Amino acid sequence: MKRKTTRVTSYDVAKLAGVSQPTVSRAFTPNASIAKDKRDRVLAAAKQLHYLPNSIAASLSSARSNIVAVIVGDMHNPFYSESLQAFINRLQATNRQVLAFTVEDGRDCDAVLMQALRYHVDGIVVTSANLSSDLISLSREVGIPIALFNRSTSDPTLTSVRCDSVQGGGLLADAMFAAGAQSYLIVRGDPQGSTSRLRVKGFRDALASFGIGDSAITEIDGGSSYAGSYRAISNHFDSPAPQFPDAIFAVNDIMAIGCIDALRAKFNIAIPGDIMLAGFDGIREGRLGPYHLTTVRQPIEDMVTKTLDLLGRDNQGEKSATQVNCVLPGIFIPGRTVPGLVEIAPDKALEADIESISGKN
Amino acid sequence: MKRKTTRVTSYDVAKLAGVSQPTVSRAFTPNASIAKDKRDRVLAAAKQLHYLPNSIAASLSSARSNIVAVIVGDMHNPFYSESLQAFINRLQATNRQVLAFTVEDGRDCDAVLMQALRYHVDGIVVTSANLSSDLISLSREVGIPIALFNRSTSDPTLTSVRCDSVQGGGLLADAMFAAGAQSYLIVRGDPQGSTSRLRVKGFRDALASFGIGDSAITEIDGGSSYAGSYRAISNHFDSPAPQFPDAIFAVNDIMAIGCIDALRAKFNIAIPGDIMLAGFDGIREGRLGPYHLTTVRQPIEDMVTKTLDLLGRDNQGEKSATQVNCVLPGIFIPGRTVPGLVEIAPDKALEADIESISGKN
DNA sequence: CGCTTGTTTGAATACGCATTCATATAGTTC
DNA sequence: GAACTATATGAATGCGTATTCAAACAAGCG
């Protein structure tokens, strides 16, 4: 005997409350024109029947789904999983839902983006992934706004929000030069992405302004991952006559951590004793005891807020041509991998670090 | 001049292809009864018009949304963010979408669950969060299956998938006892959750079988987080005459890492030289160079597969009373925080560790 | 050839809500 | 009390697809 799960609809509630279906709809709509007593009556009836408004149906008839798609490229980099987390929190707080997608390393996210478009989401956030221009124009055609997060635009007509890589790179160069570094090793990231390139540019520009010439700077390819930079460092110092720098700049934290692990485990190099080192991003892992990474933190919360803001504005349809490229400054975080930094109240800092990592089962 | 973004519908495609709307629908439905030439004609027309089937509308009329909600309780514990990642990957591979939610620490997830129910998702996965029995019965009423992930059931009628905490705890006790530990310190987790309790039980039971009495075992409360266990360890060893154990068992990896950082930074205690230590979960952070944590890994992939399997089965409606409590065994991972373990090919292991952490920008 | 079985197809409809529009009621003003 | 304005309400309709259902058609068989 299969019980047909007939769902409770707004009509059922309407009947019980002695009103029409639209009235039920209005009772659940903020700022709707409805008398207080009716609303109460409807809500009571709804509660009695365990009525749950069907958001899918609402989406269909109102043409807004209250869903935002977030496409995350590299879930292995904690920065992006932290970002996803921030998006979920922020959207949830504003009564919207997150449709989460991931994209395999390197592969473009067209298929995934297509899925998102099919659900007629209110907007799409793309993080660390490559999208084809076909899909971009398709999304325009369909009227679903896209925003790039921490990704500068190959297509400048796309809305994007990111951290100022050039400025951030400069901050780190400042700190290292001030700490006395005369020779530098740069561990690059993804050669495709502009992020790595800009960070390196900012870093080198600042060094140049201090009179550090190219001959004092070496660059190696770190593959943009923990494993990649671990290997890159290993290869570098295993080579016959390796350059032995005063300072290392890894273009992101997860790579910086890979460098530290390799330097310590394979070459017994002390940090910052033998070599000073810095990363970029401000991920939680960087604040763990063994690292205490000096880095530049991307203002994730602000970036997320800004991204959703732009996405929403686009959505208002006022002028959908309003593409904005928003760049927020990075925040210098003094750690213990660059010597001589005045840590802000060491004890407090540690305490703060501990809290910031947190984690509860 | 506001251009009305009139979307391309199946009717438009039908007209262009010279068929009826249902035929268009069938063209996009696998195994549908449709002639090959018609399907081709429809698909061609669809491509020409940039037609994207509206999944929202499909959900409404077919009563299946192809969306699974995943509610994550503690995003600060990397185990759960890894789990979310695994769910996203798995569901995406089977052409389903993930509606992702987070729940504040400790708060029950009723509000969030309600949101999920409203979207008439095909199923809901709840991870590390407390749900009220009201909501459970509501979900039953609405016919949306719920599965608990890594959470044993207070309500035994709920489907759940978890790792065998008792067995896993036993494995760690085996290893530590074999390494010569005679006295133990246990850092407990969330007193509400059964996970911590069961892991401790398995650990103590095994010790008891080796003749280790209660007098040789101390338990302290680690608050279930990095910060909590860091402080717990600090307080313990700061006390006037602290018990100085041979071994420490932290009920999860993130706590174990907190313990290690505190022991090293504040008490200059070497691991495993002075004290051996183990965690539980198998998170990526545990494999970083400075830790190399000995632990028990939860088989996330299998657990995810199993969870979705059960969720789907429930969905078939055959017998929705088929609640299953699935328990998968944990896998012992020898690390360097318990001495004397035969690491499986040290070089290979390191290499594998490096790869497993990865991360690409 | 008449009949059955099986495959395609289109007309009609359901899905559950939001929205438009016209009507009805209450509230104001002179 | 007439003439308005503001507010509440319900009837009707639309959103874009999947799913009956019955009709049309082809094929197989005695």
Side-chain angles (χ1 to χ4, degrees):
Chain A
M1 189 172 95
K2 189 175 296 182
R3 203 165 57 76
K4 189 72 167 295
T5 308
T6 303
R7 278 169 172 160
V8 181
T9 75
S10 56
Y11 283 99
D12 301 322
V13 175
K15 187 178 299 176
L16 178 60
V19 298
S20 68
Q21 180 270 326
T23 301
V24 175
S25 173
R26 282 188 266 259
F28 283 92
T29 306
N31 308 324
S33 171
I34 182 177
K36 183 173 185 332
D37 61 320
K38 296 245 174 186
R39 164 169 279 157
D40 292 344
R41 202 134 50 91
V42 168
L43 294 182
K47 179 165 294 181
Q48 183 180 333
L49 295 177
H50 299 304
Y51 169 66
L52 279 179
N54 184 332
S55 300
I56 296 283
S59 300
L60 185 58
S61 73
S62 71
R64 358 187 31 259
S65 60
N66 283 321
I67 296 177
V68 172
V70 179
I71 301 177
V72 180
D74 179 15
M75 278 294 262
H76 281 278
N77 185 338
F79 174 75
Y80 292 108
S81 93
E82 283 183 33
S83 300
L84 172 58
Q85 197 174 326
F87 273 109
I88 295 177
N89 288 336
R90 190 101 208 83
L91 285 166
Q92 207 167 287
T94 53
N95 251 317
R96 286 175 291 179
Q97 324 306 135
V98 176
L99 212 53
F101 298 87
T102 61
V103 176
E104 299 290 321
D105 270 9
R107 307 184 42 148
D108 69 5
C109 61
D110 286 12
V112 157
L113 200 60
M114 200 93 87
Q115 288 296 316
L117 292 178
R118 279 177 169 222
Y119 275 90
H120 286 223
V121 294
D122 292 346
I124 300 177
V125 175
V126 177
T127 290
S128 169
N130 311 308
L131 31 79
S132 72
S133 53
D134 279 0
L135 263 286
I136 294 174
S137 62
L138 179 54
S139 78
R140 285 241 170 71
E141 208 166 297
V142 184
I144 296 179
I146 294 184
L148 299 183
F149 181 84
N150 191 35
R151 197 91 191 147
S152 73
T153 36
S154 50
D155 179 344
T157 68
L158 266 184
T159 296
S160 73
V161 174
R162 60 186 181 86
C163 175
D164 193 336
S165 300
V166 173
Q167 168 254 2
L171 290 177
L172 294 170
D174 291 352
M176 290 175 140
F177 180 77
Q182 290 293 323
S183 59
Y184 296 83
L185 176 64
I186 296 175
V187 186
R188 284 192 304 251
D190 181 9
Q192 302 293 323
S194 55
T195 307
S196 167
R197 198 175 57 253
L198 291 177
R199 289 176 183 177
V200 170
K201 173 176 164 43
F203 189 78
R204 294 192 79 132
D205 284 355
L207 288 185
S209 77
F210 299 137
I212 302 283
D214 283 356
S215 61
I217 306 174
T218 308
E219 285 191 28
I220 61 176
D221 206 318
S224 206
S225 68
Y226 176 91
S229 60
Y230 192 106
R231 271 195 300 266
I233 285 292
S234 299
N235 291 339
H236 178 78
F237 286 96
D238 267 339
S239 65
Q243 174 230 22
F244 198 95
D246 297 332
I248 297 177
F249 171 41
V251 296
N252 68 42
D253 283 354
I254 193 68
M255 289 171 65
I257 289 175
C259 291
I260 293 178
D261 282 356
L263 290 170
R264 286 177 177 161
K266 303 192 63 169
F267 305 100
N268 200 30
I269 291 175
I271 296 158
D274 300 324
I275 299 180
M276 65 182 84
L277 186 149
F280 201 121
D281 277 349
I283 63 177
R284 287 197 286 257
E285 281 76 358
R287 327 201 61 180
L288 291 171
Y291 303 112
H292 250 278
L293 203 55
T294 296
T295 190
V296 166
R297 182 200 298 152
Q298 298 202 52
I300 291 192
E301 300 297 333
D302 293 344
M303 287 166 67
V304 165
T305 302
K306 192 69 189 171
T307 303
L308 296 178
D309 193 37
L310 294 178
L311 217 47
R313 187 168 307 171
D314 238 18
N315 224 340
Q316 296 312 322
E318 283 316 310
K319 21 180 187 172
S320 64
T322 324
Q323 83 286 359
V324 186
N325 296 70
C326 174
V327 178
L328 299 177
I331 302 148
F332 182 72
I333 305 290
R336 295 181 190 153
T337 58
V338 171
L341 294 177
V342 182
E343 279 195 78
I344 314 142
D347 289 345
K348 293 286 181 193
L350 177 59
E351 192 62 21
D353 277 4
I354 294 174
E355 293 303 335
S356 77
I357 294 170
S358 198
K360 186 169 181 178
N361 208 1
Chain B
M1 189 172 97
K2 189 175 295 182
R3 203 165 56 77
K4 189 71 167 295
T5 308
T6 302
R7 282 173 169 154
V8 180
T9 74
S10 55
Y11 282 99
D12 300 323
V13 177
K15 189 178 299 176
L16 179 60
V19 298
S20 68
Q21 179 271 327
T23 300
V24 175
S25 172
R26 282 188 266 260
F28 283 93
T29 307
N31 307 325
S33 170
I34 182 177
K36 185 173 183 332
D37 61 321
K38 295 245 173 182
R39 162 168 281 155
D40 292 343
R41 201 134 49 89
V42 169
L43 293 182
K47 180 165 293 180
Q48 183 180 333
L49 295 177
H50 298 305
Y51 169 66
L52 278 179
N54 183 331
S55 299
I56 296 282
S59 300
L60 185 58
S61 78
S62 72
R64 4 189 24 263
S65 60
N66 284 321
I67 297 177
V68 172
V70 179
I71 302 177
V72 180
D74 178 16
M75 279 294 262
H76 281 279
N77 185 338
F79 173 74
Y80 291 108
S81 88
E82 284 183 31
S83 300
L84 173 58
Q85 197 175 323
F87 273 108
I88 295 177
N89 287 337
R90 191 102 207 84
L91 285 167
Q92 207 166 287
T94 54
N95 250 315
R96 285 175 291 180
Q97 324 307 135
V98 177
L99 212 53
F101 298 88
T102 61
V103 177
E104 299 289 320
D105 270 8
R107 305 183 44 147
D108 68 6
C109 60
D110 286 13
V112 158
L113 200 60
M114 201 93 86
Q115 289 296 317
L117 292 178
R118 280 177 169 220
Y119 275 91
H120 286 221
V121 294
D122 292 346
I124 301 177
V125 175
V126 177
T127 289
S128 169
N130 310 308
L131 33 78
S132 72
S133 52
D134 280 2
L135 263 286
I136 295 174
S137 61
L138 178 55
S139 78
R140 286 240 170 71
E141 209 165 297
V142 184
I144 296 180
I146 294 182
L148 299 183
F149 181 84
N150 190 35
R151 198 90 191 148
S152 73
T153 37
S154 49
D155 180 343
T157 68
L158 268 183
T159 296
S160 73
V161 174
R162 60 187 181 86
C163 175
D164 192 337
S165 301
V166 173
Q167 168 254 2
L171 291 177
L172 294 170
D174 291 352
M176 291 176 139
F177 181 77
Q182 289 293 323
S183 59
Y184 296 83
L185 175 64
I186 297 175
V187 186
R188 282 191 306 251
D190 181 8
Q192 302 292 324
S194 55
T195 307
S196 166
R197 199 175 56 250
L198 291 176
R199 288 176 183 179
V200 170
K201 174 176 162 43
F203 189 78
R204 295 192 76 132
D205 285 355
L207 289 185
S209 77
F210 299 137
I212 302 285
D214 283 357
S215 61
I217 307 174
T218 307
E219 284 192 25
I220 62 177
D221 205 321
S224 206
S225 69
Y226 177 90
S229 60
Y230 192 106
R231 272 195 301 265
I233 285 291
S234 299
N235 291 339
H236 178 79
F237 286 96
D238 269 338
S239 65
Q243 175 231 19
F244 199 94
D246 297 331
I248 296 177
F249 172 40
V251 297
N252 69 42
D253 283 354
I254 193 68
M255 290 171 65
I257 288 175
C259 291
I260 293 177
D261 282 357
L263 290 170
R264 286 177 176 160
K266 303 192 63 168
F267 305 100
N268 202 29
I269 291 174
I271 296 160
D274 301 323
I275 299 180
M276 65 183 84
L277 186 148
F280 201 121
D281 277 349
I283 63 177
R284 287 198 285 256
E285 281 76 358
R287 326 200 64 178
L288 290 171
Y291 303 113
H292 250 278
L293 204 54
T294 296
T295 190
V296 166
R297 181 201 298 152
Q298 298 201 52
I300 292 191
E301 299 298 333
D302 293 344
M303 287 166 66
V304 165
T305 302
K306 192 69 189 170
T307 302
L308 295 178
D309 193 36
L310 295 178
L311 217 48
R313 186 169 308 170
D314 239 19
N315 225 340
Q316 296 313 322
E318 283 315 309
K319 20 180 188 172
S320 65
T322 324
Q323 82 287 359
V324 186
N325 297 70
C326 174
V327 178
L328 298 177
I331 301 148
F332 182 73
I333 305 290
R336 295 180 189 153
T337 59
V338 171
L341 294 177
V342 182
E343 279 195 77
I344 314 143
D347 289 346
K348 293 287 180 190
L350 179 60
E351 193 60 22
D353 277 4
I354 294 173
E355 293 304 335
S356 77
I357 294 170
S358 199
K360 184 168 181 178
N361 209 2

